Amino acid sequence: SGGSSSNSGSSNNKAGGNSVVGPIMSNLAIAPAYRRKGLAKKLVQSAEVLANTKWNEQDCYLYVEQSNKAAVQLYKKLGYRILWTDSTASTTLPVVGDRAGMVRIDTVLLCMKKKKKGG
C-alpha cells in the first residue's frame, strides 16, 4: 500500500485469460508521511463496505504488484487471497531529470479476492 487514490468500481477485467467480475480496487496509495497509521486498512475496509451496501456485492477484488510486499502482506491480513498472477503485465513510472517523462516496465500483477463472510 502505499497515497491518495483508489480506483474502485464494478467491472469485467481480463488478464492472462482470467476474468474478474465485480468491484476492483487498484492504485491504492498512501503518502509516505502517513504510512503505518492504519489508513490503508481503513481505505480498503471502506471500499468493501461501499461494494456491499451500495452495490450488494459479496466479493471484492484488487490488483497489486507482486513486488509490493508490504501491500500484499496487508491484503492477506485483511482476508484477501491470490486468485491469479499475470506475469505479462507492465506498469508505467515517471522519469525525472534530463529525460523526464514516462517509462514502461515489466511487472508481475496479482489479482486478489476476498469473499464476504456469510456471502
Side-chain angles (χ1 to χ4, degrees):
S1 280
S4 58
S5 73
S6 174
N7 294 337
S8 180
S10 188
S11 63
N12 183 350
N13 289 334
K14 292 185 177 183
N18 298 296
S19 180
V20 171
V21 178
I24 300 170
M25 288 178 272
S26 67
N27 303 326
L28 179 100
I30 303 296
Y34 297 97
R35 292 180 187 163
R36 311 283 311 154
K37 299 179 186 304
L39 296 175
K41 178 180 177 180
K42 289 178 183 177
L43 191 56
V44 170
Q45 290 171 331
S46 294
E48 292 170 353
V49 168
L50 175 71
N52 182 252
T53 60
K54 297 291 185 186
W55 302 327
N56 200 31
E57 294 284 348
Q58 298 302 307
D59 301 337
C60 288
Y61 300 86
L62 60 83
Y63 295 144
V64 62
E65 290 185 47
Q66 186 177 41
S67 62
N68 190 342
K69 304 291 186 196
V72 172
Q73 182 179 7
L74 170 67
Y75 300 141
K76 285 182 176 180
K77 185 177 176 181
L78 293 175
Y80 286 82
R81 299 295 171 248
I82 297 171
L83 188 60
W84 48 259
T85 301
D86 182 358
S87 58
T88 66
S90 62
T91 190
T92 305
L93 298 174
V95 176
V96 295
D98 293 342
R99 295 185 171 208
M102 302 297 283
V103 64
R104 179 169 234 116
I105 61 167
D106 293 336
T107 190
V108 176
L109 189 68
L110 303 178
C111 177
M112 301 181 78
K113 175 182 179 181
K114 180 178 181 180
K115 184 159 189 72
K116 186 174 187 245
K117 293 177 183 167

